[in-house]
């Protein structure tokens, strides 16, 4: 572990960025395929009502993932900075406390969801036609609640300990298995949306077993002992404090999908809810490489910030912004030019496909700037500054997007629902730029201070 730490603190930054990012990119792309494949199989076999049902259930799945990701990001930040400072015991105890926290929170949320499932789905916007499909899917998906959140948490923590490739293998394995099981249950056994849910839970269970075997027998620092699982309230508070922006972002995403569904049902139809579900999955898949690059960047920043190597922090920040922007522009062009071809993957209904072309194009208007936007919140989380990360998150979702979803349709109907998304992106880009500008001023002062504190070379007289 010490040699890995030295590499992160001293090796060339660009190769390090790609070394830590490509496993996260692969894992996230396969993770997005997890949900996308369900939608493709259901769309081809059941039709738009099936896709609409999966879209209605999506907020619940986001909460499942959000709990694990919150704990993973919070614990990962502590682990990376602890390892950067050489505090290995703190890193292990943090991992153990994170497991306890994940189990408690996931179980506490899963039970009420089961009890009030039908009311919950109706509240999320399920129409009479969609409700049976949504209930069939959600009742099975909830069985994997704890597993789903554990998987999200564990992969972030594995990456935070400096093992990016190890974090990639479980999700790739699980996604491939999910594709095979989807085909078996949806097409061969003709189980429809229920079959897609069964496939997801089975593949998730096997993925978690894979992760536990890695902790026990792999090259991980997390060789947990019973003593490691003693609850440390300070560590738990730090995990929640630092991870809160990620949870807020995901939870508010869930709320936004709920509001989207309700607005679309008011101004449109179930077909448009299905289009939103497809659009979200297409956009999520294309965002994953940028998010993966940002996550690799997060580990490097955490280590170097913990070691007070501020010049390297600044350099890797600019490197990541450049690469993310290049990729986001390329993806923007693909989505703008080929929306029909992308939508046709999910359905053969030409009328349904044509309904989705303009909404998809509107949603991605500010896509070229999203790479920079993602870096903002992640950067402040990685250096342990929860307040700026939270403000950046809330500005887009709460201050701009939610009011826009409510207000814009009053003036422009269904089009108002679509344009609320790019409007909030644009406003959040401005907020993100302001915070990064002021943080860079602080970092520049630290760089100058470090240079001044270094001993000057002795003057040699010839």
């Amino acid at each position: 572990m010490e040699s890995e730490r030295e590499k992160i603190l001293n090796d060339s930054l660009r190769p390090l960025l790609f070394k830590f990012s490509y496993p996260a990119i692969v894992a996230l792309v396969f993770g997005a395929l997890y949900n996308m494949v369900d939608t493709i199989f259901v769309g081809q076999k059941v039709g738009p009502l099936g896709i609409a049902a999966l879209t209605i259930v999506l907020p619940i799945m986001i909460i499942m993932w959000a709990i694990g990701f919150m704990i993973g990001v919070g614990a990962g930040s502590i682990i990376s900075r602890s390892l950067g400072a050489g505090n290995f015991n703190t890193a292990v105890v943090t991992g153990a406390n994170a497991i306890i926290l994940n189990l408690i929170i996931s179980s506490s949320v899963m039970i009420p969801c089961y009890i009030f499932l039908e009311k919950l789905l109706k509240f999320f916007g399920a129409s009479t036609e969609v409700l049976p499909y949504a209930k069939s899917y959600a009742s099975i998906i909830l069985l994997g609640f704890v597993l789903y959140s554990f998987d999200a948490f564990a992969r972030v923590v594995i990456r935070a300990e400096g093992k990016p490739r190890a974090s990639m293998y479980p999700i790739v394995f699980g996604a491939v298995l999910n594709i095979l099981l989807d085909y078996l249950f949806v097409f061969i056994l003709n189980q429809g949306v229920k079959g897609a849910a069964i496939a997801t839970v089975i593949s998730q269970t096997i993925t978690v077993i894979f992760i536990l075997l890695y902790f026990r027998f792999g090259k991980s620092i997390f060789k947990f002992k019973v003593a490691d699982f003693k609850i440390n309230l300070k560590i738990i508070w730090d995990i929640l404090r630092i991870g809160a922006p990620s949870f807020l972002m995901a939870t508010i995403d869930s709320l936004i999908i709920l509001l989207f569904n309700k607005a679309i049902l008011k101004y449109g139809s179930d077909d448009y809810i299905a289009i939103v579900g497809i659009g979200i999955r297409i956009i999520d898949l294309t965002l994953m490489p940028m998010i993966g690059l940002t996550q690799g960047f997060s580990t490097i920043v955490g280590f170097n910030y913990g070691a007070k190597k501020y010049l390297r922090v600044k350099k890797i920040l600019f490197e990541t912004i450049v690469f993310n922007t290049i990729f986001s522009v390329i993806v923007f062009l693909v989505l703008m030019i080929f929306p029909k071809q992308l939508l046709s993957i999910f359905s053969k209904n030409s009328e349904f496909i044509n309904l989705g072309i303009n909404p998809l194009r509107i949603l991605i208007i500010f896509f070229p700037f999203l790479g920079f936007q993602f870096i903002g919140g992640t950067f402040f989380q990685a250096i342990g500054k929860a307040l700026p990360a939270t403000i950046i998150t809330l500005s887009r979702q709460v201050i701009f997007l939610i009011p826009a979803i409510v207000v814009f349709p009053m003036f422009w109907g269904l089009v108002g629902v679509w344009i609320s998304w790019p409007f909030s992106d644009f406003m959040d880009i401005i907020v993100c730029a302001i915070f990064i500008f002021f943080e860079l001023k602080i970092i520049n002062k630290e760089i100058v201070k470090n240079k001044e504190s270094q001993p000057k070379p002795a003057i040699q007289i010839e």
Side-chain angles (χ1 to χ4, degrees):
M1 184 64 228
E2 185 63 33
S3 62
E4 191 69 25
R5 174 177 177 269
E6 290 302 315
K7 289 178 182 178
I8 296 173
L9 297 180
N10 296 293
D11 281 6
S12 178
L13 287 170
R14 188 173 297 178
L16 268 178
L17 178 61
F18 286 102
K19 175 186 175 182
F20 277 85
S21 297
Y22 90 83
I25 292 169
V26 172
L28 286 165
V29 167
F30 274 88
L33 286 172
Y34 236 110
N35 292 325
M36 178 173 275
V37 168
D38 280 1
T39 310
I40 291 171
F41 279 110
V42 168
Q44 294 290 345
K45 186 69 175 179
V46 181
L49 284 179
I51 298 175
L54 268 60
T55 307
I56 293 296
V57 177
L58 189 56
I60 297 175
M61 298 189 70
I62 291 173
I63 294 297
M64 292 163 61
W65 174 84
I67 291 170
F69 192 64
M70 169 189 68
I71 296 168
V73 168
S77 176
I78 298 169
I79 289 166
S80 290
R81 286 182 285 122
S82 297
L83 294 176
N87 299 324
F88 299 101
N89 184 62
T90 300
V92 174
V93 173
T94 299
N97 274 262
I99 290 175
I100 296 171
L101 193 59
N102 179 75
L103 182 62
I104 292 171
I105 297 176
S106 296
S107 301
S108 300
V109 175
M110 178 183 69
I111 295 170
C113 284
Y114 255 117
I115 295 172
F116 303 106
L117 181 58
E118 186 168 328
K119 291 181 179 179
L120 200 61
L121 294 173
K122 288 179 179 178
F123 179 69
F124 285 171
S127 66
T128 305
E129 291 78 15
V130 171
L131 182 60
Y133 296 101
K135 190 174 180 180
S136 177
Y137 186 79
S139 61
I140 296 172
I141 284 294
L142 282 171
L143 293 173
F145 199 125
V146 175
L147 300 174
Y148 198 80
S149 60
F150 178 86
D151 176 32
F153 139 73
R155 285 187 282 110
V156 179
V157 166
I158 293 170
R159 187 172 60 252
E161 68 166 322
K163 298 292 191 299
R165 281 185 297 177
S167 70
M168 171 184 72
Y169 299 137
I171 191 66
V172 172
F173 175 75
V176 171
L177 181 61
N178 190 46
I179 292 171
L180 297 174
L181 291 174
D182 265 328
Y183 182 76
L184 172 64
F185 284 103
V186 177
F187 275 91
I188 303 299
L189 300 179
N190 200 31
Q191 293 294 304
V193 294
K194 182 179 178 181
I198 293 170
T200 298
V201 172
I202 292 174
S203 59
Q204 197 67 62
T205 302
I206 296 174
T207 299
V208 169
I209 293 172
F210 191 103
I211 292 170
L212 292 173
L213 289 173
Y214 166 75
F215 281 153
R216 182 66 182 87
F217 301 106
K219 296 179 179 180
S220 172
I221 65 168
F222 298 112
K223 308 296 182 185
F224 295 115
K225 303 184 293 292
V226 174
D228 296 328
F229 288 92
K230 183 179 179 181
I231 293 177
N232 186 313
L233 293 179
K234 183 182 183 305
I235 287 176
I236 287 177
W237 167 247
D238 284 343
I239 290 172
L240 294 174
R241 178 179 61 85
I242 297 169
S246 293
F247 181 75
L248 279 173
M249 180 174 64
T251 304
I252 295 168
D253 277 344
S254 182
L255 175 61
I256 286 165
I257 292 170
L258 184 156
L259 291 174
F260 252 70
N261 290 341
K262 285 183 171 293
I264 290 167
L265 202 58
K266 181 177 180 180
Y267 295 98
S269 64
D270 285 331
D271 280 351
Y272 281 109
I273 290 180
I275 288 166
V276 168
I278 293 173
I280 288 171
R281 285 162 175 82
I282 291 174
I283 292 171
D284 277 352
L285 182 63
T286 56
L287 290 176
M288 289 307 120
M290 287 185 286
I291 296 174
L293 195 69
T294 304
Q295 289 186 359
F297 151 84
S298 175
T299 302
I300 299 169
V301 166
F303 269 79
N304 283 277
Y305 193 85
K308 299 184 178 181
K309 293 203 168 190
Y310 300 112
L311 185 60
R312 286 174 64 82
V313 170
K314 182 179 175 181
K315 286 180 178 178
I316 195 62
L317 173 63
F318 284 119
E319 286 273 355
T320 310
I321 288 173
V322 169
F323 286 118
N324 257 3
T325 301
I326 291 171
F327 182 82
S328 62
V329 170
I330 293 171
V331 171
F332 169 77
L333 293 174
V334 171
L335 294 177
M336 272 292 183
I337 297 170
F338 304 109
K340 187 172 184 177
Q341 289 79 359
L342 292 169
L343 290 166
S344 65
I345 297 172
F346 297 84
S347 176
K348 297 175 182 178
N349 187 323
S350 58
E351 184 179 347
F352 174 75
I353 291 169
N354 289 332
L355 284 176
I357 293 175
N358 285 336
L360 183 58
R361 282 177 170 160
I362 292 171
L363 291 175
I364 63 165
I365 289 173
F366 289 106
F367 208 98
F369 304 98
L370 291 190
F372 169 75
Q373 183 185 9
F374 287 144
I375 289 169
T378 303
F379 173 62
F380 287 106
Q381 285 178 325
I383 64 176
K385 295 191 175 183
L387 182 59
T390 304
I391 292 173
I392 289 171
T393 300
L394 292 180
S395 67
R396 178 187 184 271
Q397 310 285 50
V398 177
I399 299 174
F400 302 124
L401 183 52
I402 291 176
I405 294 173
V406 175
V407 174
F408 286 7
M410 296 178 183
F411 297 95
W412 301 292
L414 192 59
V415 174
V417 180
W418 309 135
I419 64 174
S420 63
W421 198 295
F423 165 78
S424 65
D425 283 336
F426 174 73
M427 298 303 295
D428 191 53
I429 289 164
I430 295 173
V431 172
C432 187
I434 292 171
F435 273 104
I436 288 181
F437 172 77
F438 283 106
E439 186 61 33
L440 283 175
K441 292 184 72 173
I442 296 171
I443 289 175
N444 286 335
K445 288 180 181 179
E446 292 295 333
I447 292 171
V448 172
K449 188 188 299 182
N450 286 348
K451 285 182 180 179
E452 290 175 348
S453 64
Q454 291 176 357
K456 296 180 180 179
I459 300 174
Q460 296 182 351
I461 302 174
E462 295 183 0

